[in-house]
Amino acid sequence: MQVSQFDLSAFEEEAQEKWTHAFESNPSRLEKFYINVAFPYPSGAMHVGHGRTYIVPDVVARFWRMKGRQVLFPMAFHVTGAPVVGISKRIAAGDEKTIRLYRDLYRVPGNVLEGFTEPLTIVKHFAAEYQRVMTACGLSIDWRRRFITVDPTYSRFIEWQWKHLYEAGHVIKGAHPVRYCTVDDNPVGDHDLLEGDKAEVIKFTLVMFRYGDAFIPCATLRPETIHGVTNLWANPTVTYVKILLDGKPWIVSKEAAEKLALQDHTVEITGEIKGSDLVDKKVSHPLCGEITILPAEFVDPDMASGMVMSVPAHAPFDYIALRDLQQAGKYKDIKPIPLIKVEGYGEVPAQFAVEKAGIANQMDSRMDALTQEIYSAEFSKGKLFEKYGGKPVRVARDDVALLMTEKYDSVVMYEFDVRPVVCRCGNKVKVKILHDQWFLKYSDPAWKQQVKDQLKDMALVPPEVRLEFDRTVDWLKDWACTRRVGLGTRFPWDTTQLIEPLSDSTVYMAYYTIAHRIKEIDSKLLTPEVFDYIFLGKKSDDLPEKKKLDAMREEFLYWYPYDFRFSAKDLISNHLTFQIFHHATVFEGQKNLMPKGMVVFGMGLLNGAKMSSSKGNVFLLEDAVKEFGGDTVRMFLMGSAEPWQDFDWRNELVLSTKKQIERFYNTVMEIKDATGEPHDIDRWLMSRLQLHIAKTTEALDNFQTRQALQEAYFGIETDLKWYHRRLPKDCDGSRELRELCSVWIRLLAPFIPFTGEHLWKGLAGEGLVSFAPWPKMDAQQVNEKAELSEELLARTVEDVESIKKLIQITPRAITIALAPQWKHEVFRTIAQASDKNTVIKEIMKDENMRKRGREATDAAKQITTLIHRLPPYVVGPLVRDPINEQAVFEAAKGFLEQEFGVAIHIVPAEDAGQVKALTALPFKPAIIIE
RNA sequence: GCGAGAAUAUCUAAGUGGCCAACAGAGGCGGACUCAAGAUCCGUUCCCGUAGGGGUUCGCAGGUUCGACUCCUGCUUCUCGCACCA
């Protein structure tokens, strides 16, 4: 194998071998820097989107390591929760779609796939895959600390954490309505839904109408409209059931009976009654008196109780249904009873709206929108009539609901706002009230305040996310924190339940600090007292393995708190905020152990479309590394956008990134052994290099990987091109270039560490670039004058070229005419003037200036414009310490003649003998092409 | 609907009051090298222009200012989140 050849995969192999244990990090005399990422849930193969999530922190880790910090970058795997349980079931059941995903897209070998009927096998398989691919990407992780969240030791740690949450009063027990599948006998999450994932659980009030000695309940979101009820609707084609609900006789639809049984009621079916038999019967309610049941086939037995109360004055559906009956000559004596006054909707809002829209019948597609419109208008602007209390609707609604619940037998019923809601198993999902449901009381204002205080002290990147965090804290309600299915740690106060997966991954960053050491202790010995000692320093008697515990305590104190946590932005509204809540409790009163900062990422796109495993729109990270190389993948992901912006993966763009790395490699190989004597231009090059060092460092300090690459790669490359152009023909670079290579390799090493290691070996011989010192800007080498001179020269060359292009003649000679001294003085005066309007007058007061008359005023005006156009980094130095333009051009004469292939004359403007020469200005000589 | 962001030339994208016709990269076009291709290098890439200039631009419509890509108001479109799920 030829070492001089650019062969990324060879570099990778070579570096991998040296890195095997290199990034295992232990406490040392150095100052620490601890970063971590939200750990992955390994239920499938990694795609390039995952790649960036872990490569950004790796670049940061490598940067700080080179800056001389003791860096900790650990990784673990989150395997608790329900998804893999579902996946394993589906695979066991032979579900084609799932099997295809795992067999074809993730390319799981057949014999391995067979084992996927066991959930733990899936996550263990992919955790191993993750580690393999992460390593292939060059992630500088301390793998000794790896764990998975069902390790017994980890479970002991979770139990300890929860003990503190519980003792602080943050863990409470309650009842909770959930989506529930009666076939699976389990709550149903979003991803388990076939249909209706947007459906919300709505709390309805059942208005209880008396029918003989039984109740007929009608569900409503608008209990205040009870005063306007003119009738009930029953579906004559439906068979209703008579039930005993908590011992009381009710009449509801069959579906409703099943639903109510799931919502804290005992339900016993005692008989049936046809809908048609209910029609024309009388019912009554204390707030609306006696009314009649009317027939309506639009009544859906699967919606709430299956019976509907009719308020034709305010509900368009009711209004039309009644109108239709009346047009058929029936129930002519029923009149809509308005009860809400709302601006702009006439006396009877439903009638007004229906007639205005010209709606002919119930089937009109605009009915839903119309209903919504009236509902919103009445809620926001409506007021009840004086005889009903005169309150705004938004107040009256709650008042009436409360009154009904307290005095008129109303109960609550939960139902979805959108239907159908269908489980993956095909069954209709219902709402069930779960008891023995435990919550984390994120609603607690005192706890929220602790989090807000902490957020104020945290560094958030990018700063715009701060507002989103603040809003999230305000908005968080109690979080159901126990589950009945899935993998996880048993809930200590009810061991039939598990701790919910988001709730068990909130302080594990502390666990990383001791993860490799705690493996040596039998998990049975890990009582809460042990963790109290390790993390909180609380001493107690009979602690086991005291020596080991002391070492852990020491290591924890060395690393903690973490400096930065990295995660994608979709976790702001849960995980990233939860972890602050939990830290606030577990480490209460220990400000010095609270998280210091967070960096939030954007999302990934593939060829402009969202990456999605289920849609097959993914590019596996491993394939990317194989096809393009680890360094290429890294550099592309870091360079195409800043971490918090969304990025788009396109293979054709990645390919050109690979060429760039190769170009870098070849350039370094060409110039690293140059031995020539330094020229003036070398001073310029080394001066520019200092600027790139400073800017790259600043960018990486701020996590701007793209900006850093711009400086470290393209900035230096562009300078080198100019350098080579400026070099005399017979010269191919000075020995200064070796230093430049050394700096350049190190600046790029965090991004392309494989190529970096290879080149570093060739240059420095010993040691790893991963631990080489980060380049420091050397102020001694900054040469303002050299930079200014080159700027002048480059601008002049540019001007000559643009003139040449326009006039399209073959020049015979080029004259560069330099501005006279007095113009330089004018330049200085104007540049320093505070008032640009009066400065020209000031200048013209001068005796010598006045002598020049018109020429001086014109020059002053042109110079004013010029100063506006020049960047401050030119004007400033020019004022402080002007350059000798004559000398600059004389020194570059050879270069200019070589560039343009003609004789170059450099003369003072006065001596040029040409009108054009008089337009010469400071930093902008007149150019005369002949 | 609610909350948080975003909109710049063919694409990615820098740019928070005058350094801006707008950094950089990619792509396109032209040229050099080459038998040729690739790589590399040079030029060009809003419109006009035989002298370094002028014109029209930064989602749309207004406003503030001597001056706006940059600040304010309204609108449109897109992304993320809206939970018991990782």
Side-chain angles (χ1 to χ4, degrees):
Chain A
M1 184 187 66
Q2 274 221 338
V3 266
S4 62
Q5 204 79 42
F6 177 74
D7 180 355
L8 251 182
S9 59
F11 302 166
E12 284 170 15
E13 217 171 290
E14 191 184 327
Q16 249 8 311
E17 204 177 304
K18 296 180 191 165
W19 288 349
T20 314
H21 296 288
F23 304 114
E24 294 173 358
S25 191
N26 296 314
S28 77
R29 289 225 183 101
L30 300 174
E31 194 181 342
K32 64 95 188 179
F33 191 76
Y34 176 18
I35 59 170
N36 56 66
V37 207
F39 52 18
Y41 183 88
S43 64
M46 286 176 96
H47 54 67
V48 289
H50 296 118
R52 187 171 76 152
T53 308
Y54 307 108
I55 291 169
V56 172
D58 182 65
V59 169
V60 173
R62 286 175 174 279
F63 168 62
W64 284 93
R65 199 175 283 124
M66 292 174 74
K67 283 224 299 189
R69 295 286 193 98
Q70 190 69 37
V71 170
L72 176 58
F73 178 29
M75 187 64 63
F77 297 99
H78 192 211
V79 305
T80 43
V84 280
V85 176
I87 293 164
S88 65
K89 271 190 193 153
R90 264 173 270 140
I91 288 178
D95 177 69
E96 251 319 301
K97 214 178 138 197
T98 310
I99 291 175
R100 223 178 301 133
L101 178 67
Y102 280 80
R103 186 190 55 206
D104 302 340
L105 188 63
Y106 297 155
R107 296 198 297 268
V108 177
N111 57 333
V112 177
L113 193 59
E114 278 168 26
F116 276 16
T117 50
E118 167 57 43
L120 211 50
T121 310
I122 302 178
V123 283
K124 283 189 169 163
H125 170 78
F126 284 112
E129 288 289 293
Y130 263 67
Q131 179 168 352
R132 201 168 51 75
V133 177
M134 282 173 166
T135 304
C137 288
L139 301 192
S140 57
I141 291 168
D142 180 351
W143 285 108
R144 294 173 306 164
R145 298 168 193 264
R146 173 196 151 145
F147 61 89
I148 64 173
T149 52
V150 291
D151 288 342
T153 48
Y154 186 75
S155 284
R156 299 293 88 74
F157 168 72
I158 294 298
E159 286 158 9
W160 164 77
Q161 176 194 335
W162 281 69
K163 180 169 168 277
H164 283 277
L165 292 166
Y166 187 84
E167 284 169 358
H170 295 317
V171 184
I172 56 168
K173 191 172 169 180
H176 184 56
V178 296
R179 293 187 293 227
Y180 200 82
C181 175
T182 47
V183 172
D184 292 350
D185 208 16
N186 259 318
V188 184
D190 260 356
H191 51 277
D192 289 325
L193 287 173
L194 225 47
E195 222 179 314
D197 56 332
K198 282 280 167 279
E200 278 184 58
V201 174
I202 306 275
K203 189 175 175 179
F204 286 90
T205 303
L206 291 181
V207 182
M208 310 303 287
F209 291 89
R210 189 157 284 282
Y211 172 71
D213 54 358
F215 280 127
I216 292 182
C218 294
T220 182
L221 290 171
R222 312 178 61 185
E224 77 282 5
T225 59
I226 180 69
H227 304 296
V229 172
T230 58
N231 59 283
L232 297 195
W233 301 112
N235 190 329
T237 67
V238 166
T239 300
Y240 290 85
V241 291
K242 296 176 175 177
I243 60 172
L244 281 174
L245 185 131
D246 301 331
K248 289 181 195 157
W250 286 28
I251 294 170
V252 293
S253 70
K254 217 181 258 172
E255 291 86 346
E258 281 178 40
K259 291 174 190 169
L260 287 163
L262 292 172
Q263 296 184 14
D264 277 0
H265 302 288
T266 61
V267 174
E268 184 189 339
I269 297 182
T270 57
E272 291 188 344
I273 181 166
K274 288 203 172 101
S276 52
D277 291 340
L278 286 170
V279 171
D280 292 341
K281 296 291 188 317
K282 299 288 182 189
V283 295
S284 67
H285 190 282
L287 295 176
C288 71
E290 190 177 73
I291 51 169
T292 310
I293 301 176
L294 268 49
E297 296 199 4
F298 67 78
V299 174
D300 179 357
D302 195 21
M303 175 63 195
S305 67
M307 296 285 289
V308 176
M309 70 183 213
S310 168
V311 188
H314 296 284
F317 270 111
D318 293 342
Y319 173 77
I320 289 206
L322 182 63
R323 191 179 72 178
D324 287 356
L325 283 173
Q326 290 179 337
Q327 278 170 357
K330 293 176 196 162
Y331 309 110
K332 290 242 174 196
D333 51 330
I334 298 179
K335 295 264 176 298
I337 307 170
L339 70 146
I340 295 167
K341 175 75 192 155
V342 55
E343 204 67 39
Y345 283 90
E347 288 296 304
V348 182
Q351 180 180 6
F352 180 89
V354 164
E355 283 171 2
K356 191 176 161 202
I359 286 171
N361 60 59
Q362 299 171 31
M363 309 312 288
D364 195 297
S365 58
R366 290 167 296 168
M367 285 300 288
D368 280 327
L370 207 62
T371 301
Q372 190 56 43
E373 179 191 326
I374 291 183
Y375 184 103
S376 308
E378 293 188 346
F379 182 73
S380 56
K381 304 184 293 189
K383 254 187 173 172
L384 258 57
F385 289 177
E386 280 307 323
K387 59 178 164 177
Y388 302 121
K391 288 183 183 167
V393 168
R394 61 175 79 219
V395 177
R397 180 165 301 169
D398 294 338
D399 288 355
V400 175
L402 190 67
L403 177 73
M404 284 180 167
T405 315
E406 285 180 348
K407 289 183 72 175
Y408 304 123
D409 302 293
S410 279
V411 296
V412 163
M413 178 173 184
Y414 294 97
E415 181 60 285
F416 298 116
D417 61 339
V418 186
R419 284 164 313 117
V421 181
V422 183
C423 178
R424 221 189 263 273
C425 74
N427 189 39
K428 270 190 190 156
V429 174
K430 299 182 177 65
V431 180
K432 178 177 165 105
I433 295 181
L434 282 188
H435 284 273
D436 301 324
Q437 177 61 56
W438 293 79
F439 294 89
L440 282 164
K441 204 169 177 342
Y442 292 142
S443 64
D444 180 353
W447 205 9
K448 280 181 196 277
Q449 193 55 47
Q450 282 181 297
V451 174
K452 284 198 167 177
D453 290 345
Q454 178 55 30
L455 272 169
K456 277 190 209 123
D457 293 337
M458 290 178 75
L460 299 181
V461 181
E464 297 87 60
V465 298
R466 184 171 294 278
L467 197 55
E468 210 180 336
F469 271 105
D470 285 340
R471 297 289 164 119
T472 300
V473 177
D474 288 336
W475 160 86
L476 275 178
K477 298 191 277 264
D478 294 346
W479 178 265
C481 61
T482 54
R483 289 289 167 281
R484 280 163 181 78
V485 286
L487 306 173
T489 301
R490 297 270 158 210
F491 185 70
W493 299 276
D494 175 356
T495 51
T496 65
Q497 301 199 52
L498 299 161
I499 289 172
E500 181 274 330
L502 281 188
S503 314
D504 78 3
S505 54
T506 49
V507 263
Y508 68 93
M509 309 70 144
Y511 187 83
Y512 277 131
T513 64
I514 57 156
H516 55 316
R517 294 178 179 274
I518 204 164
K519 285 173 188 164
E520 297 169 9
I521 301 184
D522 185 343
S523 69
K524 290 193 193 70
L525 299 174
L526 298 174
T527 59
E529 288 72 32
V530 168
F531 289 106
D532 271 346
Y533 180 67
I534 297 172
F535 294 119
L536 304 173
K538 275 191 207 156
K539 297 201 170 74
S540 52
D541 301 331
D542 305 327
L543 285 175
E545 308 261 24
K546 190 72 184 358
K547 252 195 185 143
K548 288 180 182 167
L549 299 192
D550 283 335
M552 284 191 251
R553 169 76 181 151
E554 207 175 300
E555 178 143 13
F556 168 71
L557 286 177
Y558 176 76
W559 295 115
Y560 232 62
Y562 69 74
D563 293 270
F564 281 98
R565 179 159 180 77
F566 294 69
S567 166
K569 65 178 167 193
D570 53 348
L571 294 188
I572 292 178
S573 65
N574 48 54
H575 167 76
L576 285 176
T577 307
F578 290 2
Q579 53 129 4
I580 307 175
F581 273 91
H582 289 230
H583 271 85
T585 298
V586 171
F587 299 113
E588 180 151 24
Q590 305 204 45
K591 196 78 196 155
N592 57 329
L593 295 178
M594 294 298 288
K596 285 165 84 172
M598 288 187 278
V599 181
V600 178
F601 293 164
M603 315 298 280
L605 301 175
L606 179 59
N607 298 322
K610 205 170 168 175
M611 280 190 224
S612 157
S613 302
S614 54
K615 288 189 188 121
N617 190 43
V618 287
F619 189 50
L620 296 192
L621 185 55
E622 182 170 23
D623 293 346
V625 170
K626 275 197 186 130
E627 188 171 345
F628 302 105
D631 277 348
T632 312
V633 169
R634 293 173 65 102
M635 179 154 151
F636 175 79
L637 288 173
M638 296 306 99
S640 59
E642 297 296 5
W644 38 90
Q645 295 168 325
D646 296 349
F647 76 96
D648 191 6
W649 178 282
R650 287 175 196 266
N651 277 4
E652 62 273 20
L653 298 187
V654 180
L655 211 56
S656 57
T657 303
K658 185 169 185 176
K659 285 183 206 155
Q660 285 162 355
I661 299 175
E662 185 167 0
R663 215 155 64 213
F664 162 69
Y665 175 83
N666 289 334
T667 308
V668 169
M669 293 307 274
E670 271 166 35
I671 66 176
K672 72 186 173 70
D673 298 319
T675 53
E677 285 298 313
H679 292 74
D680 285 351
I681 194 66
D682 284 279
R683 277 212 291 283
W684 171 82
L685 184 66
M686 295 315 279
S687 176
R688 294 279 301 173
L689 186 61
Q690 307 314 311
L691 176 82
H692 296 309
I693 293 174
K695 288 201 166 174
T696 306
T697 309
E698 189 192 348
L700 278 178
D701 275 331
N702 295 315
F703 308 97
Q704 292 166 294
T705 56
R706 180 181 187 275
Q707 180 66 33
L709 265 177
Q710 291 279 337
E711 284 299 329
Y713 184 86
F714 299 106
I716 294 177
E717 191 187 42
T718 306
D719 284 351
L720 270 173
K721 277 185 196 165
W722 179 251
Y723 172 82
H724 281 298
R725 197 168 153 188
R726 287 281 279 115
L727 230 42
K729 261 274 176 282
D730 54 347
C731 178
D732 50 343
S734 80
R735 52 179 180 264
E736 296 274 26
L737 288 175
R738 187 182 173 80
E739 169 62 12
L740 178 127
C741 287
S742 162
V743 169
W744 203 12
I745 293 166
R746 282 178 287 154
L747 289 181
L748 288 174
F751 299 95
I752 48 170
F754 296 111
T755 307
E757 289 296 0
H758 180 81
L759 285 172
W760 190 249
K761 189 185 72 180
L763 193 81
E766 287 303 304
L768 292 172
V769 76
S770 303
F771 294 89
W774 185 254
K776 275 210 179 78
M777 185 182 119
D778 177 5
Q780 295 288 311
Q781 297 215 54
V782 176
N783 189 329
E784 204 173 59
K785 246 182 181 155
E787 293 198 27
L788 218 47
S789 304
E790 284 309 303
E791 176 103 26
L792 171 62
L793 193 65
R795 278 169 183 261
T796 307
V797 167
E798 222 171 87
D799 279 351
V800 171
E801 272 166 354
S802 81
I803 296 167
K804 260 178 72 180
K805 214 177 318 154
L806 274 172
I807 59 172
Q808 309 223 317
I809 58 165
T810 317
R812 287 186 320 256
I814 298 172
T815 305
I816 293 172
L818 303 173
Q821 191 53 36
W822 65 269
K823 285 193 184 177
H824 285 272
E825 273 150 28
V826 172
F827 183 97
R828 276 223 291 290
T829 315
I830 295 177
Q832 290 179 95
S834 49
D835 186 349
K836 303 265 190 271
N837 296 319
T838 57
V839 66
I840 295 182
K841 273 187 200 152
E842 288 297 318
I843 289 167
M844 295 314 288
K845 280 181 189 160
D846 187 290
E847 198 57 34
N848 292 326
M849 288 297 158
R850 227 171 308 171
K851 268 197 304 208
R852 297 181 204 281
R854 185 69 198 262
E855 195 193 353
T857 354
D858 284 352
K861 276 182 199 152
Q862 287 160 4
I863 288 169
T864 310
T865 315
L866 179 69
I867 287 172
H868 267 302
R869 291 197 171 174
L870 289 174
Y873 69 82
V874 168
V875 177
L878 226 43
V879 169
R880 264 181 278 128
D881 189 10
I883 50 174
N884 182 343
E885 296 189 1
Q886 174 84 24
V888 169
F889 285 108
E890 286 296 346
K893 198 169 171 184
F895 161 68
L896 290 170
E897 287 180 342
Q898 181 185 309
E899 280 284 303
F900 300 114
V902 294
I904 305 283
H905 306 296
I906 298 148
V907 296
E910 307 87 20
D911 304 347
Q914 293 238 14
V915 192
K916 211 162 264 160
L918 299 178
T919 60
L921 296 176
F923 218 68
K924 197 169 178 61
I927 296 160
I928 300 135
I929 300 178
E930 293 158 288

